Amino acid sequence: MKAIIINRKLSPEEKSSLDRMVSDGARVFETAQYGITEEEKKKINYEVMDMVLAFGDKEFEGKPLVDWLKFDESSLWYYHKFRAYFRLRNLKYEIAALTKLAKEYDEVYCYSADPLISDVQLPENVQVAISKSNSSKKWNYFSLLKYFMILKSRWMINIFSPGKLKKPEHIIMDVSKRQVFLDIENLKENQGNYVIGYMLEKAGKDFLIIDEAVQPKMTDGAKIRLDRDGLFGKGSLKRRYLGEPILLNYFLSGKLKKRKKQLLSKIQKNLGELHGMCSGDEKLLISIYLSFKGASNFYLIKYLSYKRFFGRNHFKTIATVDENSPALRSILDAARTAGIKTIGMQHGNLHDLHPAYIYTRADAGRNAFPGHNLVWGEFWKAFLMKKGNYPADSMSISGQIRTDIIPKLKAESIEKAGLIPGAGNSDRLIVFASQPQRDAGLRERAALDVMQAVKALPETFLVIKLHPNERNDIDYYQKLAERSGLDKLLITLEIDLYLLISVCDILITCFSTVGTETIYFHKPLIILDHLKQDIQNYHKEGVALQATNMEELKDHLESILNGVSQVDPKAYNKFITKYAFAIDGKAAERALEVIRKL
């Protein structure tokens, strides 16, 4: 018997070959199945996390790996740790599946998207075909031209606004894509930064907002729009300075180019030496870092550009959300060299398997995280101290800035029919907050379980609220809806999340921060938790029902809709105090006050 694992798109020739093998009796395992159990995946998750954390501290020739990737007082180890963890984890999934199937079948064929699978010792009866598209990526020169136009427009705006840099003492980075954002005065839907938008609005003249667009990829398939946000910034230019022209510091400086070349050459050389000293999973991890050369090159350019900028302009603090992403870490590292206090602001829930926030004790002394951090509540402070090894005095509790709109929303009466196209006021509205999970199989299964469970319930309407990073995935969920036979649904990115929560009857999520936000509204919450991890403690804290499959999910939905299961107000209020401090409309004010005092 033959088994086939498919982990990428197939070429027409490969599809034809696959069809022939299937007709001969071969069994196909799609990515959604993988051939390994959820418990096996859970075990791999923690094993890989433990290995990655320990590897950074492991010494080679008398110095830890972190120092092998050091530049100035920073290290590229932290820049790629998040991506490297998930890539190695998914590779281990694939290896486990192939090893398991090799014992059950005479021949196993794997169509893999990761070329590193070729470096793994697999059973003799396993054959692997690597995606050819990984080896050649052509530049999209039309996209490159449009990006140059964006840079030129932003550079011209900065040229005519040098005075913006003289008075402010503090910087807030605004690098998010604009999303639906409620005006706190009239609840009208605008476009803005929904995470810290109310903070940006209340920041005074002592704050400068550095506006950066998300840097696009220039390979074929990249889409760059010449829209207002890209050309002129994401809001009023009164207190905004555009970030991309700062990168021109590098391209106009031979000295910076030489310095970047030296740093990158040294790091790649050290990675090559480490590759020769490692074996097994450690060798795979070094291979992953070597494959990130292009990204490393960009982050060093960004670091050196901002280092020069901060050396010429003086500020006291710089604050940002998503502070551990490499695109922002490079800016904070540059600010630190100029003596600027760096501040991270919590923007989502944290958990044991979040590589961006889990550090070792040794990391605490290596500038691994910002000098100060604004967290939502006491729980998150304790979590970062225990799991992330953050110092207690490096954190302040401010509450979640986005919640400042909730008191206003609770005071309004909003009708479903006027907000949700296709839904009537009598429909029980169920919202599923989706996520681009790293495990494609779990992501698909979650969506199908929700659709099938809702389909089985009368007078219900499903809204799939897409994650911001799923803006191009409407077709993905539409096809799953067609498979499930569900037609009473809306797939949207445009309706404000808090508006949806305010009118919904039940919200379902896997482990999204949206679950926490649902509790702020005292709405029923169900977590679809196939691995029984309860990552965000929703079930443990008594604020959510836990479903591990479609049948359990359907039972919980029925129980809530029939009034059998109800919200526990005491548990909800206790959760809010512990995780969000207070829902009082003053989180933005508290955050700004902390920054000024620093």
Side-chain angles (χ1 to χ4, degrees), residues 4 6 8-23 30 111:
I4 304 163
I6 302 174
R8 63 170 169 83
K9 292 182 179 180
L10 302 181
S11 68
E13 295 78 11
E14 290 171 332
K15 182 67 168 60
S16 177
S17 175
L18 173 66
D19 290 341
R20 287 195 297 271
M21 286 190 283
V22 170
S23 65
E30 299 283 354
Y111 295 95

Side-chain angles (χ1 to χ4, degrees), residues 142-174:
F142 185 56
S143 292
L144 191 62
L145 175 62
K146 288 195 287 187
Y147 189 56
F148 174 76
M149 294 172 66
I150 290 172
L151 287 178
K152 184 177 180 180
S153 172
R154 288 178 161 239
W155 176 74
M156 290 294 292
I157 291 171
N158 278 7
I159 284 290
F160 290 102
S161 54
K164 292 179 182 178
L165 303 177
K166 294 179 180 180
K167 293 183 179 180
E169 297 179 329
H170 312 282
I171 293 174
I172 304 176
M173 298 296 303
D174 183 7

Side-chain angles (χ1 to χ4, degrees), residues 540-574:
K540 178 182 176 183
E541 296 282 0
V543 293
L545 297 174
Q546 182 184 45
T548 61
N549 53 52
M550 191 278 291
E551 288 299 326
E552 288 182 5
L553 177 60
K554 185 171 79 68
D555 290 344
H556 287 327
L557 289 170
E558 287 180 326
S559 178
I560 294 170
L561 294 174
N562 293 333
V564 177
S565 296
Q566 297 180 346
V567 165
D568 181 347
K570 289 184 179 180
Y572 271 51
N573 288 330
K574 182 180 177 181

Side-chain angles (χ1 to χ4, degrees), residues 91 114-122 130 275 280 283-284 287:
L91 187 61
D114 196 331
L116 290 182
I117 193 74
S118 300
D119 298 335
V120 178
Q121 186 69 41
L122 295 169
I130 306 300
H275 193 267
K283 196 180 191 76
L284 283 175
S287 295

Side-chain angles (χ1 to χ4, degrees), residues 16-79:
S16 177
S17 175
L18 173 66
D19 290 341
R20 287 195 297 271
M21 286 190 283
V22 170
S23 65
D24 290 337
R27 183 176 177 186
V28 177
F29 289 84
E30 299 283 354
T31 304
Q33 296 171 315
Y34 251 128
I36 56 175
T37 67
E38 287 154 359
E39 282 301 316
E40 288 170 325
K41 288 182 180 180
K42 183 178 177 180
K43 184 172 182 289
I44 290 171
N45 290 347
Y46 282 98
E47 286 177 349
V48 174
M49 175 61 80
D50 290 343
M51 176 262 166
V52 170
L53 290 176
F55 193 42
D57 292 338
K58 184 173 180 178
E59 292 195 354
F60 294 87
E61 297 183 352
K63 62 180 180 181
L65 180 136
V66 171
D67 287 351
W68 281 74
L69 305 184
K70 195 172 182 180
F71 62 95
D72 293 344
E73 297 304 314
S74 308
S75 174
L76 270 173
W77 166 252
Y78 302 116
Y79 283 56

Side-chain angles (χ1 to χ4, degrees), residues 274-322:
L274 288 166
H275 193 267
M277 290 187 272
C278 294
S279 60
D281 290 347
E282 292 181 350
K283 196 180 191 76
L284 283 175
L285 196 58
I286 294 298
S287 295
I288 290 171
Y289 268 73
L290 281 165
S291 72
F292 292 156
K293 181 180 178 180
S296 297
N297 182 69
F298 174 72
Y299 299 137
L300 287 172
I301 289 173
K302 197 166 189 180
Y303 165 78
L304 291 170
S305 300
Y306 271 89
K307 183 179 180 181
R308 172 165 289 191
F309 172 74
F310 291 129
R312 294 175 174 178
N313 302 279
H314 305 289
F315 302 94
K316 292 182 179 179
T317 71
I318 179 170
T320 184
V321 295
D322 201 18

